[in-house]
Amino acid sequence: MAASGSPVSALATSLRCLAFELLRVFAAPSLRIQIFSGLTTRNILLFPPSLSSLSLSQISPFWFVRSFTPASAMAASSSSPEAAPTGPADAISRDRILSSNLYFDVPPSKVPVIYSSSYDIAFFGIEKLHPFDSSKWGRICQFLIKEGFLDKKQTVEPLEASKDDLLVVHSESYLSSLKSSLNVAIIIEVPPVSLLPNCLVQNKVLYPFRKQVGGSILAAKLAKERGWAINIGGGFHHCSAEKGGGFCAYADISLCIQFAFVLLNISRVMIIDLDAHQGNGHEIDFSNDRRVYILDMYNAGIYPFDFEAKRYIDQKVELASGTKTKEYLDKLDEALKVARNNFNPELVVYNAGTDILDGDPLGRLKISPDGVMTRDEKVFRFAREKNIPLLMLTSGGYMKSSARVIADSIINLSKKNLIALDSPLGRK
């Protein structure tokens, strides 16, 4: 966040005031504005008036543009209420996966922790207009290295996902829409980005995202080989094949799973999404794909309010704002027990958002740092008990303290012998 009294802070405060007044004045059941760009009209759904009672400190300007859907995708969705499963449904998509360079052999001297310094996002301080700590990925690694639990030379640097890689899930029209800085600004919820040249947006924003996508995809391969893998990034669970939003421009979870289906010879994947927000992106993408089982435990009173996507959750655990640590962990225990009985996966994709932390401005839950560590430990034990490869993505988290908590949780997993940061081959 911007320092108090800085120009960036003043701008953010002004925009919050504007957002608050708009919410207070326009009390309609739902608001839809139109943004004209060239010859096309793009529709943006605003939040319902129930949020108008929030305090000023809880309102941020980017909430007015929480998601973006290209016009072609909106037309397709309106004419086809039940979309076909996203992924390599034909020979072209399969060939794209088989010709990709994102899977590569990792030497035994490396641990299955994936990170690149390119993950962090910084462009003239504008990124501070969003509460997400866009430098948290690097700070997680710094904490792990400082504590002596990780050697930077042992981490794995992924490749950037190419256009052909992204086309395995995304459409040409969606990827083309990202050539508009306005569209990217809507997706990442930072309005001033719309004023920047797209070449700068590609380099400073979308390139880091594409590197993280490459990390998520590679994590599945390493998890299958080593038993576990952690991508210090990724978890863009609000993005689907045709729609970005909520700071998520690429559907890395969907891409990771589609690559795994083809290259790892697996046919059953469980997504355990414990970010505070509903994972509507992957839920839409796998709406008709019974190979994927989704356990989603989230605060039902916050974004994205995606009621269509909720229909595709196999196991839904909805929480109320203010849920505390004990209740949260009790519900998680029960949910994992049910999931264990319902589905037998060959791979677990764990979306481990830390926006559940007490004090997070967007997650609005009250989970302690120790509670987050216990949560992660429970999920890793769930996979270990069934000898299922697991990959972890760090996903959301909107406080500076999130990086420290994630690092502490990874250290705890190592101390509990659920992962082995000191062993070149990990721990199966």
Side-chain angles (χ1 to χ4, degrees):
M1 301 294 288
S4 177
S6 69
V8 172
S9 178
L11 175 60
T13 300
S14 298
L15 288 170
R16 287 191 183 94
C17 290
L18 174 61
F20 182 81
E21 286 303 307
L22 287 171
L23 278 176
R24 184 179 63 81
V25 173
F26 295 103
S30 65
L31 301 175
R32 186 177 295 275
I33 64 173
Q34 293 182 320
I35 291 181
F36 295 91
S37 176
L39 298 177
T40 62
T41 302
R42 293 172 171 84
N43 297 282
I44 304 167
L45 185 65
L46 305 189
F47 269 72
S50 60
L51 294 182
S52 62
S53 61
L54 293 176
S55 67
L56 179 60
S57 64
Q58 292 174 298
I59 301 294
S60 295
F62 52 81
W63 281 3
F64 287 90
V65 286
R66 290 298 306 203
S67 63
F68 167 77
T69 307
S72 60
M74 293 183 69
S77 62
S78 63
S79 62
S80 178
E82 290 194 11
T86 300
D90 54 32
I92 294 176
S93 295
R94 183 178 179 86
D95 286 346
R96 285 191 173 116
I97 292 175
L98 293 174
S99 62
S100 173
N101 294 319
L102 294 180
Y103 272 26
F104 56 85
D105 291 333
V106 175
S109 59
K110 303 278 191 178
V111 295
V113 174
I114 303 167
Y115 170 73
S116 169
S117 58
S118 299
Y119 280 14
D120 293 346
I121 298 174
F123 51 109
F124 318 121
I126 294 176
E127 73 280 358
K128 292 183 173 64
L129 290 175
H130 193 288
F132 187 85
D133 178 10
S134 60
S135 66
K136 83 169 185 178
W137 305 293
R139 295 198 302 115
I140 293 168
C141 285
Q142 290 171 11
F143 286 132
L144 292 172
I145 292 168
K146 184 178 180 180
E147 297 290 333
F149 281 86
L150 185 66
D151 185 337
K152 187 176 181 180
K153 295 179 181 178
Q154 288 186 307
T155 61
V156 180
E157 172 145 0
L159 299 175
E160 173 193 4
S162 68
K163 180 181 178 180
D164 269 358
D165 295 324
L166 298 171
L167 283 170
V168 169
V169 164
H170 294 294
S171 67
E172 285 272 6
S173 62
Y174 176 74
L175 295 182
S176 293
S177 76
L178 300 181
K179 295 177 182 178
S180 162
S181 296
L182 171 62
N183 296 343
V184 177
I186 292 170
I187 288 169
I188 68 169
E189 307 169 331
V190 183
V193 168
S194 64
L195 304 177
L196 299 177
N198 191 253
C199 59
L200 186 61
V201 174
Q202 292 288 332
N203 184 51
K204 295 293 187 179
V205 181
L206 296 179
Y207 172 71
F209 284 159
R210 290 193 294 268
K211 286 283 279 189
Q212 293 189 46
V213 170
S216 296
I217 291 172
L218 179 60
K221 177 180 185 290
L222 286 176
K224 186 72 180 299
E225 294 172 350
R226 311 284 185 92
W228 63 275
I230 299 173
N231 182 21
I232 308 290
F236 305 130
H237 66 158
H238 296 309
C239 187
S240 62
E242 293 286 358
K243 181 178 180 180
F247 206 73
C248 302
Y250 300 113
D252 67 319
I253 294 176
S254 302
L255 283 159
C256 164
I257 292 173
Q258 297 294 359
F259 270 69
F261 282 149
V262 173
L263 298 177
L264 299 182
N265 194 30
I266 63 175
S267 60
R268 299 185 307 279
V269 176
M270 178 182 290
I271 299 173
I272 300 178
D273 195 336
L274 300 186
D275 187 275
H277 299 84
Q278 176 198 350
N280 57 321
H282 57 73
E283 288 158 7
I284 292 293
D285 283 346
F286 295 111
S287 58
N288 294 322
D289 195 333
R290 304 317 301 165
R291 298 172 298 174
V292 179
Y293 182 95
I294 299 174
L295 162 57
D296 198 350
M297 182 166 157
Y298 59 92
N299 184 346
I302 60 175
Y303 172 82
F305 302 110
D306 193 329
F307 298 103
E308 178 190 358
K310 285 184 182 183
R311 296 164 46 202
Y312 309 124
I313 303 174
D314 297 283
Q315 190 180 337
K316 177 173 57 180
V317 182
E318 295 191 329
L319 304 171
S321 293
T323 297
K324 295 183 179 180
T325 303
K326 185 181 184 304
E327 180 185 357
Y328 180 92
L329 293 176
D330 287 345
K331 287 181 178 291
L332 177 59
D333 282 336
E334 179 60 28
L336 292 176
K337 181 179 178 181
V338 172
R340 183 181 292 108
N341 293 331
N342 285 354
F343 196 74
N344 184 31
E346 298 169 285
L347 176 70
V348 171
V349 177
Y350 174 34
N351 200 47
T354 47
D355 46 3
I356 67 170
L357 279 166
D358 188 6
D360 189 284
L362 300 188
R364 294 166 59 184
L365 300 176
K366 293 185 176 297
I367 313 305
S368 68
D370 284 345
V372 171
M373 289 191 287
T374 301
R375 175 200 71 171
D376 293 348
E377 184 179 333
K378 286 178 181 292
V379 176
F380 271 76
R381 288 194 185 281
F382 167 85
R384 169 69 69 82
E385 288 170 2
K386 301 192 72 173
N387 198 30
I388 306 165
L390 177 148
L391 68 94
M392 171 178 162
L393 309 171
T394 56
S395 201
Y398 305 92
M399 298 192 297
K400 286 288 186 182
S401 60
S402 282
R404 177 78 260 184
V405 173
I406 294 168
D408 286 344
S409 183
I410 292 173
I411 291 170
N412 178 64
L413 293 172
S414 178
K415 288 180 176 179
K416 298 293 178 67
N417 294 318
L418 291 168
I419 64 175
L421 297 175
D422 58 343
S423 171
L425 293 178
R427 189 184 303 276
K428 290 191 175 182

